[in-house]
Amino acid sequence: WDDQSLLIVIADVMGKGISAALLAALFRSQARSLSEMAVRPADLLNRINMRITPDLEAVEMFITAQIIFVDRAARRLRIAGAGHCPALLTSPDRSSPLLELCSTGGPLGLKPDSQYEQIEVTWPIDGRLLLFTDGVTDSRSPSGELFGMNRLKSWFCEEIYRGRDAAGMKGDLAQALDQFRDHRDRQDDEA
């Protein structure tokens, strides 16, 4: 966005195939065209939802999303969510090393007049932020067990204490999921 701020967007379209790909492109184009609203993620989600709900209703699909505006100078995060998995933020408090960051709000495309809310938190010095889709937590072992949020949190804490950078963590998570699935093919959005 600029030298002192950053807009982070993650989304997941319900469904697969060409329709899902087109809706993902529609969401992306709306987020980019409304980037002047980035400092207010809830307002940005409200506007995107109003614009794309007719298209989503027409194909009976929805999109989950989370938008985070990072104010680097003030070390603040403004977060708004639309039914998406919570972001995980490391905390300097060793007794509770992770914070789950999410704001309440249903997926995009269910009601055009939905009103999203945002939360604001301080980004701790040396803090790490993890955004993910349900493809991570819904990964299954051969016996059907879910990878789940608790396992993801444990993995994330271990990676932080190992001092891994983002690229290393990405590779390590892919490897951990692959081992958990016993090297079976990835499903849905596990890739």
Side-chain angles (χ1 to χ4, degrees):
W1 212 63
D2 64 31
D3 289 345
Q4 292 301 311
S5 58
L6 175 69
L7 183 65
I8 303 170
V9 179
I10 187 170
D12 189 7
V13 178
M14 180 220 116
K16 298 177 183 170
I18 294 172
S19 295
L22 290 172
L23 291 169
L26 175 64
F27 173 83
R28 181 178 186 268
S29 69
Q30 290 298 316
R32 291 177 74 99
S33 72
L34 296 168
S35 64
E36 75 278 358
M37 299 178 78
V39 297
R40 298 177 317 278
D43 292 345
L44 180 54
L45 276 178
N46 289 335
R47 182 71 57 86
I48 291 170
N49 184 61
M50 183 181 68
R51 287 183 171 187
I52 68 174
T53 292
D55 296 307
L56 290 164
E57 287 176 335
V59 292
E60 297 180 343
M61 296 172 80
F62 61 84
I63 298 173
T64 65
Q66 189 168 61
I67 297 178
I68 301 175
F69 179 77
V70 181
D71 181 339
R72 294 173 55 190
R75 302 196 63 78
R76 300 293 292 169
L77 303 174
R78 284 188 209 117
I79 303 149
H84 199 78
C85 305
L88 299 177
L89 177 65
T90 56
S91 165
D93 180 358
R94 292 280 192 199
S95 64
S96 59
L98 291 178
L99 302 171
E100 287 187 37
L101 305 177
C102 62
S103 59
T104 56
L108 301 169
L110 300 182
K111 295 189 300 188
D113 59 348
S114 290
Q115 291 297 303
Y116 295 94
E117 298 176 8
Q118 68 188 35
I119 59 172
E120 188 167 328
V121 297
T122 299
W123 182 300
I125 293 174
D126 297 326
R128 301 282 186 98
L129 183 68
L130 176 67
L131 283 79
F132 58 95
T133 68
D134 62 1
V136 172
T137 53
D138 290 351
S139 288
R140 291 189 181 270
S141 70
S143 66
E145 179 185 7
L146 291 174
F147 191 76
M149 184 64 96
N150 288 336
R151 192 173 273 115
L152 179 62
K153 286 179 179 180
S154 295
W155 171 85
F156 190 40
C157 286
E158 289 173 19
E159 290 289 304
I160 296 303
Y161 296 128
R162 287 179 56 203
R164 302 289 284 162
D165 65 6
M169 291 174 73
K170 178 183 172 186
D172 288 353
L173 180 56
Q175 185 177 26
L177 290 171
D178 192 43
Q179 289 174 347
F180 183 74
R181 288 189 313 272
D182 196 25
H183 309 284
R184 292 178 306 130
D185 289 339
R186 295 175 180 162
Q187 303 296 314
D188 192 29
D189 53 355
E190 293 176 354

